[in-house]
Amino acid sequence: MLRYLTLLCLPLLSLAAVPPAVSAGGRYSLALDRDGQVFAWGDGSNGQLGGIASATVPQPLGLRGIAALAAGPLHAVALDQGGQVWTWGGNAHGQLGDGSLIDRANPLRVEGLDQVSAVAASARTSLALRRDGSVWHWGHTGTGLAPRPLPVAGLTDIVALAAGQEHWLALRSDGVVFSWGNSRDGQLGLADPNTGATPQPLPGLGPVVALAGGERHSVALGRDGRVYVWGDNRYGQLGLGDLEPRHQPVALPELEAIIAIAAGNQHTLALRRDGTVWGWGRNEHGQLGAEAPLLAPYPVWLPEADFTTMVAAGEQHTMLLRSDGLVQTLGSNLTGQLGDGTQVTRHRPTLVAQSSLQGFLDLDPTLANHALAPEQRPPFLLNVHASGRRQQRSLSVELKLPSRPNPGGYHLYVGARLPNGDNIQLLSPELREQIYQRSGSHGWVPYTGGALKPMLENILQDDAQARLTVDVLSDLDLEKFLGALIYIGYGSSDAEMLQSCRLRVIYVVTDENGNIPEGRRLPKLFCDN
């Protein structure tokens, strides 16, 4: 993999499209694409990367058909679309559920466990929520070692799970939260911490819709969009303006309209409905961004993290999944857990690196489904590959077209959007010939309004055009275009393409370190206005 390339949209080859997702482990990271394929990077010393000791860019694990991920400090748990559970990584306490205490790099299915709807992973334990509302755990359960799944007594009608380092949380369908495990720092939120051996309901906590567990603190998202916190607070990870622990849930003041939460070792994240990200707690490695102090005992806005749809927090790093499919990371990068091709700590969001991607052009996940009739299938983005350095960098796109063409044909559009919002359109009189020959000169000219100009007109009219290869970046002034989104799309017109969002970002122009210059923000796509 080329270390300066950027991950733009994870591959989209799906038998059943699933929402992309990210999960942050101790010093490694996981990502899930719409195909259900799992990627991993960072520290792999315990098998977290599928046998690779370390990686600074995403590596495919060969695990497909996955619906959800949970990254523990040293092991990982995945839930497939059929309700089966897969594990890999560290296993010193039996947390892989295979009956042994031996680390394993290759993902294997956990036997005797099916109909699962959610998974969670703590330092030495794995949990699974079955569709009947029962909870199962294995590894270090708080009362001993269980190398095979066992039911958690006293829990029924559960709809969500979360795991801290050595404590666990469960959410019942009526919004009641249960906690159990280590209560040394108040992370269980119970008046009597000695009852933590078995799940107990938390008093004084209103209806809850989501949970997150940090190393020794807990976070809940109320149905009213407010955040509730309790447990250890020595780094300000509760966000209450002080460093005093709380042994019972407390509402975080002046932070509303929250739709998602995440908890790292000693930092906490919250995603607002407007797509902005807020964080608090420890910021020693920049996991809360450049604007936050080393210790932030109150919520701080994370710049350059707009349009976020999912947040994840690791030991000392943060992951952000954007609405356009981009993955950004920041914080400690000692083992390459940021995935930007370096081991440089980042105090600003950086793009995760990847050199190729596959999938349907359409961003609409309902279209990325092989169950569609052949005549309804969109053009297929077979491969995108970037190579070279700096001004010699090139980007080729190979399109595999549907077996049954559209009678009216489609236009193919290729262009870029700059960080300042300007639209640049690729035009050339010799364009059609260049697509087939990948030779000749063509230039980038400003978009001045009106209809977008197609790169290629009336494609997909006959079976002869099975594949097209497009050379995109030739003669592009990469210095001027730093931070630009390069997109490819199709439609019977530009209006149809934009209305149906029939386009995908295939590249982000960065410098050789995978960075975008100070003061430049990634723009939104045309159809994301």
Side-chain angles (χ1 to χ4, degrees):
M1 292 244 181
L2 303 175
R3 70 182 183 89
Y4 52 82
L5 299 179
T6 49
L7 175 66
L8 308 168
C9 290
L10 293 172
L12 293 178
L13 287 172
S14 63
L15 293 175
V18 297
V22 291
S23 186
R27 297 185 178 185
Y28 72 102
S29 301
L30 299 176
L32 176 68
D33 69 10
R34 287 188 177 92
D35 173 37
Q37 183 176 192
V38 180
F39 293 81
W41 60 94
D43 175 35
S45 57
N46 290 87
Q48 306 98 302
L49 307 188
I52 301 174
S54 64
T56 60
V57 293
Q59 304 294 320
L61 290 182
L63 190 59
R64 294 177 178 270
I66 301 303
L69 297 170
L74 299 176
H75 80 290
V77 184
L79 171 65
D80 70 25
Q81 297 176 31
Q84 304 285 331
V85 176
W86 300 71
T87 59
W88 65 96
N91 195 33
H93 302 275
Q95 59 263 49
L96 299 189
D98 61 3
S100 77
L101 301 179
I102 302 173
D103 293 356
R104 173 167 41 77
N106 60 307
L108 289 180
R109 183 173 60 86
V110 178
E111 297 180 359
L113 193 62
D114 59 8
Q115 299 294 309
V116 173
S117 60
V119 290
S122 62
R124 300 181 291 175
T125 314
S126 301
L127 295 94
L129 169 62
R130 296 191 65 193
R131 293 169 187 166
D132 62 5
S134 64
V135 177
W136 296 65
H137 61 175
W138 57 97
H140 180 65
T141 64
T143 58
L145 295 185
R148 297 283 189 187
L150 295 174
V152 179
L155 291 178
T156 59
D157 203 21
I158 301 300
V159 296
L161 298 172
Q165 184 179 43
E166 293 182 348
H167 73 287
W168 309 281
L169 305 168
L171 175 62
R172 202 166 61 188
S173 61
D174 58 1
V176 174
V177 175
F178 290 77
S179 66
W180 71 103
N182 191 318
S183 61
R184 182 168 55 245
D185 295 279
Q187 58 265 54
L188 297 188
L190 300 174
D192 182 3
N194 296 321
T195 61
T198 58
Q200 301 293 323
L202 270 67
L205 189 59
V208 168
V209 296
L211 300 168
E215 183 181 46
R216 296 178 182 177
H217 73 290
S218 301
V219 189
L221 175 59
R223 191 175 294 165
D224 57 1
R226 301 187 66 185
V227 176
Y228 298 82
V229 293
W230 62 97
D232 182 32
N233 194 32
R234 69 192 70 187
Y235 294 98
Q237 59 263 51
L238 299 188
L240 297 172
D242 57 45
L243 305 181
E244 297 298 321
R246 302 295 195 278
H247 292 266
Q248 292 181 310
V250 178
L252 203 63
E254 300 180 2
L255 191 62
E256 300 177 343
I258 302 301
I259 60 173
I261 51 176
N265 269 24
Q266 292 105 19
H267 74 289
T268 308
L269 304 172
L271 172 64
R272 285 187 53 144
R273 187 175 292 113
D274 61 6
T276 59
V277 177
W278 298 73
W280 55 93
R282 191 173 187 177
N283 192 37
E284 179 181 346
H285 300 275
Q287 55 266 51
L288 299 181
E291 303 299 322
L294 293 180
L295 205 67
Y298 45 81
V300 178
W301 172 64
L302 177 57
E304 302 177 50
D306 299 337
F307 319 122
T308 299
T309 60
M310 184 178 187
V311 291
E315 181 178 308
Q316 296 170 339
H317 73 291
T318 292
M319 301 182 71
L320 310 169
L321 176 64
R322 288 172 43 117
S323 59
D324 53 15
L326 298 177
V327 178
Q328 294 178 292
T329 53
L330 66 157
S332 176
N333 199 22
L334 182 66
T335 61
Q337 60 263 52
L338 299 190
D340 65 352
T342 76
Q343 291 179 287
V344 178
T345 292
R346 306 288 184 181
H347 293 257
R348 300 170 61 234
T350 184
L351 289 165
V352 173
Q354 181 64 284
S355 65
S356 65
L357 53 100
Q358 295 181 328
F360 287 112
L361 280 179
D362 301 68
L363 290 178
D364 185 352
T366 62
L367 294 176
N369 192 326
H370 287 257
L372 289 175
E375 63 272 12
Q376 295 177 312
R377 294 178 189 173
F380 185 75
L381 184 65
L382 185 63
N383 187 53
V384 177
H385 182 72
S387 61
R389 301 175 64 85
R390 215 62 174 175
Q391 293 299 324
Q392 289 73 44
R393 202 176 307 175
S394 64
L395 179 70
S396 61
V397 181
E398 187 178 7
L399 296 169
K400 180 181 178 183
L401 307 182
S403 58
R404 295 187 184 181
N406 181 59
Y410 285 120
H411 303 320
L412 184 69
Y413 298 84
V414 173
R417 189 157 191 175
L418 296 177
N420 61 8
D422 291 341
N423 304 324
I424 304 297
Q425 185 68 33
L426 180 61
L427 301 173
S428 170
E430 302 86 13
L431 195 56
R432 184 172 302 162
E433 182 177 359
Q434 289 171 6
I435 286 177
Y436 293 115
Q437 296 184 354
R438 290 182 292 168
S439 62
S441 62
H442 54 273
W444 291 79
V445 298
Y447 169 68
T448 58
L452 296 171
K453 303 296 184 181
M455 182 175 183
L456 185 64
E457 295 181 317
N458 300 320
I459 61 174
L460 316 186
Q461 285 187 314
D462 58 66
D463 293 328
Q465 293 177 316
R467 296 192 181 193
L468 299 176
T469 301
V470 184
D471 188 6
V472 175
L473 295 184
S474 297
D475 301 322
L476 179 64
D477 185 348
L478 295 180
E479 291 292 340
K480 176 182 176 181
F481 278 67
L482 282 175
L485 300 183
I486 309 298
Y487 72 88
I488 186 168
Y490 79 99
S492 58
S493 66
D494 65 327
E496 184 198 17
M497 176 184 71
L498 299 179
Q499 183 178 4
S500 302
C501 208
R502 288 179 164 174
L503 73 164
R504 285 186 61 194
V505 174
I506 57 172
Y507 194 71
V508 172
V509 182
T510 68
D511 63 20
E512 293 186 8
N513 294 318
N515 293 325
I516 294 173
E518 292 278 352
R520 291 196 180 188
R521 283 195 185 183
L522 288 175
K524 295 190 290 184
L525 277 172
F526 290 107
C527 62
D528 196 26
N529 287 326

